[in-house]
Amino acid sequence: MPEGDTVHRAARRLHGALAGHEVTRFEVRVPGSANADVTGQVVREVVARGKHLLHRFDELTLHSHLKMEGEWHVYRAGERWRKPAYKARAVVGTREWETVGFELAMVEVLPTRDEARAVGHLGPDPLSDDWDPAEAARRVSSDPRAIHVAIQDQRHVAGFGNEYASELLFLRGVHPERPATQVDVPALLDLGVRTIRRNVELPVRIFTGDSRRGQGRWVYGREHRPCRRCGTPIRRSALGADPTKERVVYWCPRCQPD
């Protein structure tokens, strides 16, 4: 599942391939931005902001969001794509490299000066140089909703998703339905920052310290299986900002009491 670490790794790969090079191929296959063209311009940088990707050119930005199924591939120029062309939503190529965004849930081209319209609502990003732990804690702590919902609100913290929420709350022994106002949010965020900064350097996301296949998670995706700490069967339910936006929640009823 794409979360902040996934997107930041993608930005690094894209930046390494494109930055400083002239664009020789540019396609945006969505209404609204299909006529945009930066061919001949130089890619200044590719950066991540939370779960959003920003390709910056001279005065324009290609903004994309992976959501659940999106991904960016990097190919040598002329190399065959690993996914069918009809799933491509954006293509940015140079003489040496071709990068393709497949199944992107959101993609648009906008003036770089207007980036705030796309990402200005986001809270502090734990993987950015300007991470502000005090401001992030203030935003989450003031939210009366369940902590599992509050920590995933990208207006509070940009980057944590469903998997991080379940795993971090388990590690802190916090029930997912506890109101954020009743949680030690600075401690939770400190753990989250250390975890996501470690994971961004790894090829596979790990929470347990065990990189063996199937051993990297404490609770996420482990419904009915025994807790790795106490043996109690892991439970699954759903929480969300409203019934139409509920997300799956995993927790241990013994390690994370009500």
Side-chain angles (χ1 to χ4, degrees), residues 65-151:
H65 195 300
L66 305 183
K67 293 288 185 178
M68 297 293 290
E69 299 178 347
E71 56 184 339
W72 277 91
H73 291 191
V74 177
Y75 300 97
R76 289 282 182 180
E79 183 181 355
R80 184 174 181 178
W81 297 353
R82 296 187 299 276
K83 282 196 168 188
Y86 74 86
K87 293 187 176 183
R89 297 291 178 267
V91 182
V92 183
T94 66
R95 289 181 176 84
E96 186 176 358
W97 298 99
E98 194 162 69
T99 65
V100 188
F102 292 100
E103 300 182 273
L104 302 174
M106 178 191 302
V107 58
E108 63 176 339
V109 177
L110 70 162
T112 300
R113 64 177 181 273
D114 294 338
E115 280 183 4
R117 175 170 62 80
V119 297
H121 66 287
L122 298 175
D125 182 342
L127 290 172
S128 294
D129 293 337
D130 60 355
W131 165 245
D132 186 340
E135 176 59 17
R138 184 193 68 78
R139 296 187 185 201
V140 177
S141 298
S142 62
D143 193 328
R145 297 175 297 175
I147 184 60
H148 189 273
V149 174
I151 198 173

Side-chain angles (χ1 to χ4, degrees), residues 108-213:
E108 63 176 339
V109 177
L110 70 162
T112 300
R113 64 177 181 273
D114 294 338
E115 280 183 4
R117 175 170 62 80
V119 297
H121 66 287
L122 298 175
D125 182 342
L127 290 172
S128 294
D129 293 337
D130 60 355
W131 165 245
D132 186 340
E135 176 59 17
R138 184 193 68 78
R139 296 187 185 201
V140 177
S141 298
S142 62
D143 193 328
R145 297 175 297 175
I147 184 60
H148 189 273
V149 174
I151 198 173
Q152 291 188 75
D153 191 325
Q154 301 300 293
R155 297 169 298 178
H156 298 341
V157 184
F160 294 137
N162 206 34
E163 185 174 350
Y164 269 95
S166 290
E167 293 292 303
L168 296 176
L169 292 175
F170 171 82
L171 288 168
R172 289 292 303 167
V174 176
H175 192 280
E177 294 183 356
R178 187 179 303 173
T181 54
Q182 300 176 17
V183 173
D184 185 347
V185 172
L188 178 64
L189 291 178
D190 178 68
L191 174 63
V193 171
R194 288 186 283 114
T195 303
I196 201 169
R197 288 182 177 177
R198 181 181 68 243
N199 277 332
V200 77
E201 305 298 336
L202 302 176
V204 178
R205 191 179 297 146
I206 298 171
F207 296 94
T208 63
D210 190 338
S211 60
R212 291 177 298 170
R213 184 178 180 85

Side-chain angles (χ1 to χ4, degrees), residues 202-255:
L202 302 176
V204 178
R205 191 179 297 146
I206 298 171
F207 296 94
T208 63
D210 190 338
S211 60
R212 291 177 298 170
R213 184 178 180 85
Q215 302 299 311
R217 298 166 175 168
W218 292 101
V219 293
Y220 189 83
R222 301 191 66 246
E223 180 186 10
H224 301 316
R225 299 177 67 182
C227 174
R228 299 187 192 279
R229 282 183 175 170
C230 71
T232 303
I234 299 301
R235 292 185 183 176
R236 167 180 166 166
S237 62
L239 281 173
D242 61 61
T244 66
K245 298 179 180 179
E246 288 189 338
R247 304 291 298 277
V248 176
V249 184
Y250 298 91
W251 83 98
C252 172
R254 182 173 181 181
C255 296

Side-chain angles (χ1 to χ4, degrees), residues 50-68:
K51 299 181 182 182
H52 299 250
L53 273 166
L54 302 169
H55 290 67
R56 291 172 176 153
F57 307 97
D58 291 349
E59 295 181 351
L60 295 176
T61 294
L62 173 65
H63 165 231
S64 60
H65 195 300
L66 305 183
K67 293 288 185 178
M68 297 293 290

